[in-house]
Amino acid sequence: MKTQQKKSWKVADSAALYGIDGWGKGRFSISEKGEITATIPFDTGDVTVPIIDIIQAARDRDHELPLLLRIENLLDARVAEINETFQQAITKADYRGSYRGVFPVKVNQQCTVIEEISRFGADYGHGLEAGSKAELLLCLANLNDNGLLICNGSKDREFIDLGLWANKLGHQCFFVIESPSELPLIIERSRKLGIKPLIGLRIKISSKVGGLWTETSGDRSSFGLSTAQLIATVDQLRQVKMLDCLQLLHCHLGSQIPDIEEIRIAVREASRFYADLAAENVPLKYLDLGGGLAVDYIGNQSLHSHSRNYNLADYCDCLVETIKKTLAPLEIDHPVIITESGRATVAHTSILLFEILNVVSYVANELPDRQPDQSHPLVTSQYNLYQNAETIDLSEGYTKALSNRDNIRDLFRSGVITLRERAMAENLFLAIAQTLSKRLDQLDKIPLTLSSLKQNLADIYYGNFSVFQSLPDTWAIGQMFPIMPVHRLDEFPERNATISDLTCDCDGKLDRFILAGGESQTLPLHTLKTGEDYILGAFLMGAYQETLGDLHNLFGYTNVISIRINNEGGFDVTKEQSGDTISEVLNMLEYNPALFYKGFRDKVELAVKQKRIDVKERQQILNQFSAQLNGQTYFKV
Ligand SMILES: *Cc1c(COP(=O)(O)O)cnc(C)c1O
């Protein structure tokens, strides 16, 4: 960043730097005061609320950071948008079928999310998708009257019985058959209970898609029927006179598909399956194209695995038009199109907010202005580089300083160089790197040989959160989320940083960031001010993170609040949930915190007897122990 930019830094510069207009799409932006805001359009005009005000409202209710914030309107808006955009595509293409969305609950099973999708989605007949028995129960308890219930995954007798009863209750519950072995049990239970099943078949699409989840499609995918199995299953249903139950074809290509052309090819293949089965008089009505609708985390509409080269309207048009075109030679009813968009429905609704606890900077300490006598030649060489750092060739100088540093460490290991000399040499290295880095800022393009320079100098900002609990996909599959400060955006972010979490795990860090519509290994952040919070937000993290999170280092759920922005210009806190206490987390690991307390009490009592502490101290210790058992797992500021 050139220095003149630093002085005249504006909110718009922050917006460009963090790419918020790209991924925020008007939902999130930066106010004149330099604070991130969430905006909801109402008939009476837009209402904009600063995130920092919501944090204050949570704190007033005793919910400290780290905090998971859900904005209910953003979830409603996505459900509405998906349904209405499909409707527009259907009208535009003169398509003779309708659209029915279902939400796959595995993407976010949290009660507030499922309840809201079901409540708000009722007008659209937005349904749910279950992949396990627990999810089936959850769906049955929450499904609105109009929504479809799609059951994927393995189904045992209990699962099938309950699904059949659901049909009798008036729901439309589809069993999607993923492997040929499932059918006999469905036939048997259906006969036993005297209830007709609704059956779908999951097909394997041979065209592969790009992105991070390519293994879900293709011949070797672990899900779905091969064409031979598909034909055999159809024949079997015909034979037992249950062909009328087979009403749905299902496929799922994988999540976050960046390229619309690959979606088109796969939809064409799925439509060909539909056409040929329909031509054989299979009474199909529904074509379920699964998930895959991508979220533009980067915000640059590209083929990057974290982006997509299409928008929602393109996606809807693509599905509707491709199905219509592929089925055109046949005089059959157009199928009801189902999609199971998970990520695209919930990603935007949640934000993880956490404060920075402290910063470790890689800056040189004060250095002697004269070279020490009798140093080792390598230390002398390093000192010379330091003195000439303003003028030496950038690449050559950096490479030399790096190799000096490494050789000096080798010499220390073999006893040639003392600890003090090593400390001095490493200090020199930092000083050289700092000067070179400043010179680098004046260049338009960073030479490849210097790409690690900034990273070597980056600060580590320690955040009050756990990657493993709150952003597990960043660790597991290299997922990136837009991360940025929620305030001070009218100030120049003068530091470059990576972020570490509270766990004692070297994987508990964030070192790939979305920046300026691209990717960066460091994130520009502001210098901490004493006595002031510095709060970062991880955005678009509503999909897949919450239930995949684990208890690494025993960090539990954070506090959660849901808010709804209202048309009076403010917001209401609609739901709140305190994070896990230490006692609750220990319970999950089969400890009994009550016995736990007793064991500790005995230990403390013994110390009284042995006169190591007095009774008063005993009481202090036990009170603390007990308070912490009932307190939360995160850092208390
Ligand atoms: C995971 C999954 C989805 C959701 O996919 P997204 O890409 O998140 O929309 C949909 N259907 C099935 C069968 C799934 O397994």
Side-chain angles (χ1 to χ4, degrees), residues 104 106-107 129 152 202 250 252 255-256 291-292 340-343 544:
K106 75 152 193 273
V107 184
E129 185 261 1
N152 292 307
R202 179 158 179 174
H250 177 281
H252 172 64
S255 203
Q256 185 67 18
E340 304 174 345
S341 287
R343 181 186 298 279
Y544 296 104

Side-chain angles (χ1 to χ4, degrees), residues 320-340:
V320 171
E321 285 165 9
T322 307
I323 297 169
K324 184 177 170 187
K325 219 184 210 160
T326 315
L327 296 183
L330 293 175
E331 286 295 312
I332 55 169
D333 286 343
H334 288 156
V336 175
I337 301 171
I338 298 173
T339 66
E340 304 174 345

Side-chain angles (χ1 to χ4, degrees), residues 76 119 147 203 320 451 454 599 617:
D76 295 353
R119 184 195 71 78
I203 54 180
V320 171
S451 57
K454 288 263 168 208
E617 286 170 325

Side-chain angles (χ1 to χ4, degrees), residues 293-337:
L293 172 58
V295 167
D296 195 354
Y297 294 97
I298 292 197
N300 66 350
Q301 291 229 4
S302 72
L303 284 174
H304 190 286
S305 62
H306 287 63
S307 184
R308 49 172 164 71
N309 66 354
Y310 54 92
N311 60 27
L312 179 58
D314 298 332
Y315 177 79
C316 298
D317 286 342
C318 168
L319 266 52
V320 171
E321 285 165 9
T322 307
I323 297 169
K324 184 177 170 187
K325 219 184 210 160
T326 315
L327 296 183
L330 293 175
E331 286 295 312
I332 55 169
D333 286 343
H334 288 156
V336 175
I337 301 171

Side-chain angles (χ1 to χ4, degrees), residues 150-195:
I150 309 281
C151 303
N152 292 307
S154 314
K155 303 159 199 69
D156 62 5
R157 190 178 60 78
E158 290 183 338
F159 189 123
I160 291 165
D161 283 6
L162 205 53
L164 288 168
W165 285 117
N167 286 343
K168 204 147 193 186
L169 293 175
H171 285 306
Q172 280 182 286
C173 172
F174 282 90
F175 296 136
V176 175
I177 294 179
E178 310 227 17
S179 86
S181 60
E182 290 182 325
L183 186 59
L185 193 57
I186 294 176
I187 295 173
E188 182 203 312
R189 295 314 299 169
S190 149
R191 286 187 175 148
K192 188 99 182 172
L193 299 183
I195 307 171

Side-chain angles (χ1 to χ4, degrees), residues 87-274:
Q87 195 46 55
Q88 283 156 14
I90 282 170
T91 310
K92 192 165 85 183
D94 214 1
Y95 185 83
R96 299 189 308 276
S98 55
Y99 168 75
R100 301 295 295 279
V102 296
F103 178 73
V105 298
K106 75 152 193 273
V107 184
N108 191 326
Q109 296 113 326
Q110 301 296 322
C111 181
T112 63
V113 171
I114 299 299
E115 280 180 0
E116 187 56 23
I117 291 176
S118 193
R119 184 195 71 78
F120 182 84
D123 286 348
Y124 299 105
H126 208 89
L128 297 170
E129 185 261 1
S132 69
K133 203 155 42 179
E135 288 186 355
L136 173 68
L137 297 186
L138 183 164
C139 290
L140 284 174
N142 286 285
L143 187 66
N144 58 51
D145 288 344
N146 311 318
L148 300 175
L149 174 51
I150 309 281
C151 303
N152 292 307
S154 314
K155 303 159 199 69
D156 62 5
R157 190 178 60 78
E158 290 183 338
F159 189 123
I160 291 165
D161 283 6
L162 205 53
L164 288 168
W165 285 117
N167 286 343
K168 204 147 193 186
L169 293 175
H171 285 306
Q172 280 182 286
C173 172
F174 282 90
F175 296 136
V176 175
I177 294 179
E178 310 227 17
S179 86
S181 60
E182 290 182 325
L183 186 59
L185 193 57
I186 294 176
I187 295 173
E188 182 203 312
R189 295 314 299 169
S190 149
R191 286 187 175 148
K192 188 99 182 172
L193 299 183
I195 307 171
K196 275 206 163 182
L198 288 167
I199 293 177
L201 299 182
R202 179 158 179 174
I203 54 180
K204 268 189 188 155
I205 295 291
S206 56
S207 34
K208 280 228 166 198
V209 297
L212 289 175
W213 286 268
T214 55
E215 295 307 315
T216 321
S217 58
D219 287 345
R220 299 294 304 161
S221 140
S222 46
F223 309 104
L225 304 167
S226 69
T227 49
Q229 290 168 336
L230 180 78
I231 296 296
T233 309
V234 171
D235 290 346
Q236 207 179 344
L237 279 167
R238 203 188 298 268
Q239 206 178 10
V240 296
K241 303 212 167 2
M242 283 173 68
L243 199 58
D244 57 325
C245 300
L246 177 49
Q247 298 187 7
L248 181 145
L249 267 199
H250 177 281
C251 66
H252 172 64
L253 308 168
S255 203
Q256 185 67 18
I257 305 172
D259 188 357
I260 189 101
E261 280 320 307
E262 292 182 344
I263 295 177
R264 194 184 311 279
I265 291 166
V267 171
R268 194 178 300 142
E269 188 176 341
S271 306
R272 284 284 302 121
F273 275 88
Y274 191 97

